[in-house]
Amino acid sequence: MDTLWLALLAILVMGYFALAGFDYGTGLLLPFTRDRAAALRRMTPFFLGNEVWLVAAVGVLFAAFPRLEGELLSGSHTVFTIVLGGLVLFMASVQLRLWFGLIFLGALAVAVGWGLFVASLSGVPWFVGAALMPALFALHGMTFQSRSRLFGLTALACALPVPLAFSSHPVEGLMAGPDTLAMLSWVAIPILPLVVILQWSIVAISPR
Amino acid sequence: METLDLARLQFAVTTSFHFLFVLLTLGLVSLVALMQTRFTLTRRPVHERMTKFWGRIYVINYALGIVTGVVMEFQFGLNWSGLASYAGDVFGAPLALETLIAFFLESTFLGLWIFGWGRLNRWVHLALIWLTALTAYASAFWIMAANGFLQHPVGYEERDGVLRLVDFGALLTNPTFGTALTHVVFAALTVGGVFVTGVSAYHFIKRTNEVEFFRRSLRLGVVVTALATPSLVGAGFAQFPIISEYQPGKTHTVPWIGMPLGFMILIGMTLTFASWITLPLLVRDWVIRMRFPLYLMVIGIPLPFLAAIFGWVFREVGRQPWLVYGLLRTSDAVSKVNATSMTLSLIVFSTLFLLLAITDWVLIARAVRRGPETTPQPVAPLVVAL
């Protein structure tokens, strides 16, 4: 049971970084992009679907690992203020096509925030994390925008840092009881493939 | 201020803003689903244009509301880690179901609905708006189940200092859940009805050329409000015996707690009364030709929002000093975070949420003023560039 829920959490977290990573990357590259409207348009059908992977991941974290969630989040209070403040700015300004500077700032705050989180989990110096994640996201944004064959590789590069940094963290005794987990499995296991299929359909019916 | 007060203030501010967005989302999606159903059945262009106009306002509000929801979800872990570690096994279950079933699925259905305009079979497209509405209400269902547990904890067993879930069904038969959910659902429908009525009235005040369009919208708004308000008020009063049984101290936790309660009841009664008076005046459009009721309809738009905040303040402040009633005090659940970090996040989130609410207001006002499109336009700001 433990392995199942750790795997599910890992899939959701990696899904979030692999998908939303190119959103943030696109945002980070905007100041250097000639046709900004086209870059945003390319990302539009994916956008909302990408961001909600985070929501699902935190939902699973809360219910399946309640004693871990509070410790992880409250332990990095200011880091998450940066991530969430950036997310609010980024999501609102992308969806409403506000000034591109706001989109860039939002993406930067989110990327630096996740970098700081990786640093605090893994013990590498903060500036390494703060530089690493924006660089990876920017690279991922680049491969997405240019439809490069290296897209899968940059997706993996974005997805790995947080789960890797977290892997040294003990989870013994932090999980919810078996009754909670059994009940949640009935919902979580069928929903994941359903959402993947539906999100893929959104992209499939959108014009290129 | 201390960390505890700052965290409580932050929760009150972010939840209030979030709730405003959610109410309009729930209310509008229901009316848009009705409009699209009529369009799909009759294929008359006016219903399609109504679906698009009101649908666009709905999507603007959803796009900004979802952002407040993300912050809400993180806030439990950030500021109230004591709640997760003590009651997360039980309280976390409905909350996770909300994020998975509702949030995750709802946004996906909505995405398909937005991008599916003119590309999907019309019945499939109609099914998508109903699925979006259904999952939106499922969201309210699970959130109220989680909140009902905080008001009156059930279905748990305490082992080694933490709560374990033993009876999930008890969360759904909780007396503090069902009537409160009914109350919230009808409150959302009232918000939707009053909003559509008020915006349509505004266009008649401005002597709109779109008479049939706004006449139909206004009638739908009035009828929905008239049907929703009696159940809203009924489900409100039905909670008093439950409160006196399970939370006897609720009405005097703080000296001023009667005030929001009183205002909420006053607004509920006024809207019930006003909508039922208006029903017979819909005959031959008397209410539109009389003109002065139109001004009242516009003034009425903020009333159900205000009532909802008053009601929420009563429900939540009235639970104090408990976070989980009788089991966990609010002061014991707050995260061990210093006051500076808490102040920083309070300032950041309050400012951003205020900006979001203003942006929402400006964009909706702009969409309202522009009126229904005469030429086909994309339905959402999400696809603004398509």
Side-chain angles (χ1 to χ4, degrees):
Chain A
M1 206 55 152
D2 291 26
T3 329
L4 172 79
W5 282 94
L6 275 172
L8 189 65
L9 184 64
I11 291 172
L12 290 171
V13 170
M14 289 171 68
Y16 162 68
F17 282 106
L19 291 169
F22 68 75
D23 292 349
Y24 307 140
T26 301
L28 287 169
L29 294 173
L30 277 187
F32 320 102
T33 306
R34 201 173 302 145
D35 192 349
R36 290 178 189 133
L40 290 174
R41 197 160 53 229
R42 223 161 280 141
M43 141 182 137
T44 299
F46 301 87
F47 184 72
L48 201 56
N50 291 353
E51 302 294 327
V52 291
W53 282 74
L54 175 64
V55 177
V58 177
V60 165
L61 183 64
F62 192 107
F65 304 88
R67 278 154 286 282
L68 180 63
E69 197 238 10
E71 179 206 341
L72 270 186
L73 297 193
S74 67
S76 306
H77 202 272
T78 303
V79 167
F80 278 102
T81 304
I82 298 172
V83 171
L84 290 174
L87 258 183
V88 171
L89 205 60
F90 182 72
M91 287 180 74
S93 54
V94 167
Q95 296 192 68
L96 305 172
R97 295 293 192 272
L98 303 178
W99 177 52
F100 84 93
L102 285 182
I103 302 179
F104 172 76
L105 269 182
L108 187 65
V110 174
V112 169
W114 283 123
L116 293 174
F117 185 61
V118 168
S120 78
L121 278 179
S122 63
V124 302
W126 67 268
F127 50 85
V128 175
L132 176 74
M133 290 312 277
L136 288 178
F137 288 157
L139 211 59
H140 194 30
M142 210 182 286
T143 59
F144 169 72
Q145 289 289 345
S146 62
R147 299 194 191 172
S148 156
R149 258 179 290 167
L150 298 173
F151 178 77
L153 211 62
T154 53
L156 197 65
C158 288
L160 285 178
V162 170
L164 278 183
F166 175 76
S167 60
S168 57
H169 205 286
V171 290
E172 292 291 307
L174 297 171
M175 285 186 77
D179 288 325
T180 309
L181 296 177
M183 194 273 299
L184 283 174
S185 335
W186 286 102
V187 179
I189 293 166
I191 271 191
L192 197 61
L194 180 63
V195 168
V196 170
I197 292 168
L198 290 174
Q199 289 195 348
W200 177 82
S201 328
I202 296 181
V203 174
I205 62 171
S206 306
R208 293 298 138 87
Chain B
M1 278 204 275
E2 287 183 35
T3 304
L4 174 65
D5 302 313
L6 292 164
R8 283 189 63 192
L9 183 61
Q10 187 173 327
F11 199 85
V13 169
T14 47
T15 316
S16 300
F17 275 118
H18 180 60
F19 198 27
L20 295 177
F21 284 100
V22 167
L23 282 167
L24 190 60
T25 293
L26 283 173
L28 275 180
V29 75
S30 325
L31 275 84
V32 170
L34 287 175
M35 291 168 192
Q36 191 170 349
T37 306
R38 294 191 71 178
F39 166 61
T40 312
L41 291 172
T42 64
R43 289 203 168 194
R44 291 187 49 190
V46 65
H47 295 300
E48 181 183 26
R49 294 177 66 224
M50 279 168 71
T51 310
K52 282 200 168 181
F53 173 74
W54 297 106
R56 186 176 296 117
I57 296 174
Y58 156 69
V59 171
I60 293 172
N61 188 66
Y62 183 91
L64 291 173
I66 195 173
V67 182
T68 64
V70 176
V71 177
M72 275 305 304
E73 195 195 15
F74 273 85
Q75 197 169 190
F76 290 106
L78 282 174
N79 296 351
W80 305 100
S81 56
L83 174 65
S85 49
Y86 177 68
D89 279 48
V90 192
F91 176 75
L95 212 64
L97 291 177
E98 193 265 344
T99 58
L100 290 172
I101 299 179
F103 216 140
F104 208 25
L105 266 185
E106 181 190 1
S107 58
T108 310
F109 285 136
L110 178 61
L112 267 177
W113 183 74
I114 292 172
F115 290 99
W117 268 102
R119 295 199 182 94
L120 292 173
N121 171 289
R122 63 194 176 111
W123 293 100
V124 173
H125 196 242
L126 175 68
L128 283 171
I129 192 72
W130 279 107
L131 285 169
T132 310
L134 196 73
T135 40
Y137 281 97
S139 223
F141 181 92
W142 293 115
I143 290 297
M144 291 311 290
N147 183 273
F149 171 80
L150 300 183
Q151 306 288 340
H152 174 58
V154 289
Y156 68 90
E157 205 174 79
E158 191 170 321
R159 278 178 235 149
D160 310 322
V162 291
L163 302 187
R164 297 291 187 184
L165 182 70
V166 288
D167 181 6
F168 183 69
L171 293 177
L172 306 182
T173 51
N174 192 344
T176 54
F177 166 54
T179 35
L181 172 67
T182 315
H183 192 54
V184 168
V185 166
F186 284 106
L189 286 170
T190 305
V191 165
V194 170
F195 180 83
V196 170
T197 308
V199 168
S200 307
Y202 164 83
H203 277 275
F204 281 115
I205 292 173
K206 294 280 173 195
R207 313 259 178 209
T208 177
N209 294 323
E210 295 277 357
V211 175
E212 199 204 352
F213 184 100
F214 284 112
R215 183 177 161 275
R216 284 184 181 278
S217 301
L218 186 137
R219 293 169 77 96
L220 181 66
V222 172
V223 170
V224 167
T225 312
L227 291 178
T229 43
S231 312
L232 166 70
V233 173
F237 281 114
Q239 288 176 72
F240 282 115
I242 298 167
I243 290 172
S244 63
E245 188 174 345
Y246 296 105
Q247 295 184 341
K250 191 156 198 153
T251 43
H252 35 84
T253 34
V254 287
W256 49 266
I257 198 74
M259 194 176 65
L261 181 65
F263 277 123
M264 174 186 70
I265 293 174
L266 192 66
I267 292 173
M269 296 292 201
T270 308
L271 290 176
T272 313
F273 186 68
S275 56
W276 281 86
I277 293 261
T278 314
L279 275 186
L281 295 177
L282 292 178
V283 178
R284 297 184 184 184
D285 298 331
W286 281 327
V287 74
I288 299 170
R289 281 188 260 160
M290 281 159 72
R291 291 198 69 77
F292 82 88
L294 297 174
Y295 291 89
L296 297 180
M297 289 169 176
V298 175
I299 295 171
I301 294 176
L303 290 183
F305 288 103
L306 273 177
I309 297 296
F310 286 143
W312 182 77
V313 165
F314 174 69
R315 186 170 169 94
E316 298 301 282
V317 175
R319 190 187 56 216
Q320 300 304 322
W322 299 104
L323 208 174
V324 184
Y325 201 79
L327 292 176
L328 177 70
R329 283 178 190 277
T330 311
S331 52
D332 295 330
V334 71
S335 300
K336 285 170 187 57
V337 171
N338 62 45
T340 321
S341 304
M342 198 61 88
T343 311
L344 177 72
S345 64
L346 174 65
I347 293 170
V348 169
F349 295 139
S350 306
T351 313
L352 287 173
F353 276 34
L354 186 67
L355 287 175
L356 280 180
I358 294 171
T359 313
D360 197 37
W361 169 266
V362 170
L363 291 174
I364 288 177
R366 196 194 287 169
V368 163
R369 240 180 288 123
R370 204 187 297 142
E373 306 288 351
T374 39
T375 49
Q377 292 282 328
V379 75
L382 274 171
V383 282
V384 77
L386 285 179

